[in-house]
Amino acid sequence: MSEFLADADFELYRKLVYDESGIHFSATNRSILESRLKERLRDKKLESLKDYFQLIVKDKEELKTFLDSVTTNLTRFFRNQAHFDAIEKYVVPELIKQRGSGERKLRFWSAGCSTGEEPYTLAMLLKEILPAGWSFEVVASDISLKSLMVGKEGFYADGRVQGVPEPFLAKYFEKKPGGHQIRDDLKKLVRFDYHNLKNDSGLRNLDVVFCRNVLIYFDEAAQKAAVERFWEAMSGKGFLFIGHSESLFGMNTRFEFVKTDWACFYKK
Ligand SMILES: C[S@@+](CC[C@H](N)C(=O)[O-])C[C@H]1O[C@@H](n2cnc3c(N)ncnc32)[C@H](O)[C@@H]1O
C-alpha cells in the first residue's frame, strides 16, 4: 500500500476525476493517479494532498491542468486504417446519397482528438475523396489543453508521421528541421476546441462522430451518457465510430450496429 496516497485520498481524488471527466480510476491504475498527483504537488510546491485538493476545488485552471495530467493521449495518424477505408468506401458515398440535392457540406467531429493526428487524418482523406463542389468541416476537441496546443500548432516530429502515406506527406505537410508541419490550407479545415465529454458540446447536425479510444477510460454510466450526447449532436442518419476494442454492446443505446466489409461502426 502507498504511503503517499492513502485509501481515503485515493477515493477522494478518484471521485473528483470521475465527477469532472467521466474517467474512472480502478485500483489497478491507482499508481498512475499517484504519480500524477506527485508531479502536481511538486509543480505547485505544495506539501500535502489536502492542500492540493483545496487548491483545485477553487482554482478552475489548476483543475484543468490536473485533469489534463491524468489523461492518456496516445494516438497516431491513420490509426486503425479500416475505419478510414469505411469512411471512403461506405460512409461518404452513403452521406452523399442521403443529401440528394441538399447542402453539399459534411460535418465531422473528432471527440477526444488528443494531439490532432485523428482529425488531420480525416481532413486529408476528405480532401482526397470528396467530389468537386463538396466541402467539409472537422471539429476536434479534447480536455487535454497540452494536446490541443500540439494539434493547433500542427508540427509533428519525424517519428510521428510514419503512418502517413508518402503522397499525403508531400501534399499536406511541409518538411521542417526535425519534423513535419501541417500546411495552412489543411489546418484551416480543422477547428480545435476545449470540450469535456461530461457536458453537452452544443454541436448539432453532425454527419460523423469519431470517439475512438476515449470511452475505454470511462465507466459504463459515463460511457452511456457520452453516447447519448453524441446522438443529440448528430444529424438524422449520422455515423458513430468508436475504438476497435470498444463496444456499445449491452449498453442499450438507440444506435444501430453496422458491419461492412471494411469495419464495424454505428448508425443513428
Ligand atoms: C487515447 S487518446 C485517443 C485519441 C484518438 N481519438 C485516437 O483514437 O487515436 C484519448 C483522449 O481522450 C481524451 N479524453 C479523456 N476524457 C475526456 C473527456 N471527459 N472529455 C474529452 N476528452 C477526453 C484524452 O485527453 C485523450 O486525449
Side-chain angles (χ1 to χ4, degrees), residues 18-35:
Y18 179 73
D19 289 346
E20 294 291 337
S21 71
I23 297 172
H24 168 69
F25 272 93
S26 64
T28 35
N29 45 34
R30 177 171 174 156
S31 60
I32 301 176
L33 188 57
E34 176 167 0
S35 78

Side-chain angles (χ1 to χ4, degrees), residues 202-220:
L203 296 168
R204 293 294 179 267
N205 284 321
L206 295 162
D207 296 298
V208 179
V209 175
F210 262 51
C211 183
R212 305 185 310 161
N213 310 299
V214 179
L215 297 178
I216 204 165
Y217 301 103
F218 295 3
D219 76 345
E220 208 179 308

Side-chain angles (χ1 to χ4, degrees), residues 16-209:
L16 176 87
V17 171
Y18 179 73
D19 289 346
E20 294 291 337
S21 71
I23 297 172
H24 168 69
F25 272 93
S26 64
T28 35
N29 45 34
R30 177 171 174 156
S31 60
I32 301 176
L33 188 57
E34 176 167 0
S35 78
R36 299 301 185 271
L37 279 165
K38 278 185 181 159
E39 278 166 27
R40 293 312 310 138
L41 258 68
R42 214 178 302 130
D43 208 53
K44 299 308 285 183
K45 300 187 172 51
L46 289 174
E47 292 290 316
S48 78
L49 285 169
K50 234 178 231 86
D51 293 345
Y52 188 63
F53 198 82
Q54 274 170 8
L55 175 68
I56 49 179
V57 291
K58 56 178 202 289
D59 181 342
K60 291 282 168 231
E61 286 312 306
E62 181 54 29
L63 176 62
K64 280 185 176 172
T65 307
F66 171 56
L67 289 178
D68 189 341
S69 79
V70 301
T71 61
T72 304
N73 313 111
L74 192 78
T75 186
R76 60 177 184 275
F77 286 102
F78 291 90
R79 182 178 199 177
N80 195 358
Q81 176 71 47
H83 283 165
F84 300 101
D85 292 342
I87 290 286
E88 177 176 356
K89 309 267 198 300
Y90 184 96
V91 170
V92 164
E94 190 63 29
L95 287 169
I96 289 176
K97 205 166 16 154
Q98 276 178 26
R99 278 293 202 289
S101 54
E103 194 197 11
R104 299 190 152 204
K105 180 170 185 175
L106 300 182
R107 292 179 183 81
F108 282 65
W109 180 20
S110 165
C113 65
S114 186
T115 38
E117 287 86 334
E118 179 179 275
Y120 283 132
T121 301
L122 282 168
M124 286 188 276
L125 181 67
L126 292 167
K127 281 279 270 184
E128 294 294 318
I129 65 174
L130 279 181
W134 283 77
S135 66
F136 70 88
E137 171 184 60
V138 181
V139 178
S141 68
D142 206 283
I143 45 164
S144 166
L145 287 165
K146 266 194 291 180
S147 302
L148 287 169
M149 271 160 61
V150 174
K152 273 187 189 163
E153 181 68 31
F155 178 81
Y156 298 95
D158 289 326
R160 292 177 69 172
V161 295
Q162 270 165 6
V164 183
E166 196 48 52
F168 284 52
L169 208 54
K171 197 164 165 185
Y172 298 111
F173 293 79
E174 191 182 333
K175 179 70 187 115
K176 291 264 174 83
H180 288 75
Q181 173 68 52
I182 298 275
R183 291 186 196 274
D184 284 346
D185 51 348
L186 189 76
K187 225 189 209 185
K188 67 171 192 269
L189 296 167
V190 179
R191 177 158 60 84
F192 288 94
D193 240 332
Y194 178 88
H195 173 64
N196 186 341
L197 290 168
K198 279 290 279 183
N199 308 319
D200 179 11
S201 63
L203 296 168
R204 293 294 179 267
N205 284 321
L206 295 162
D207 296 298
V208 179
V209 175

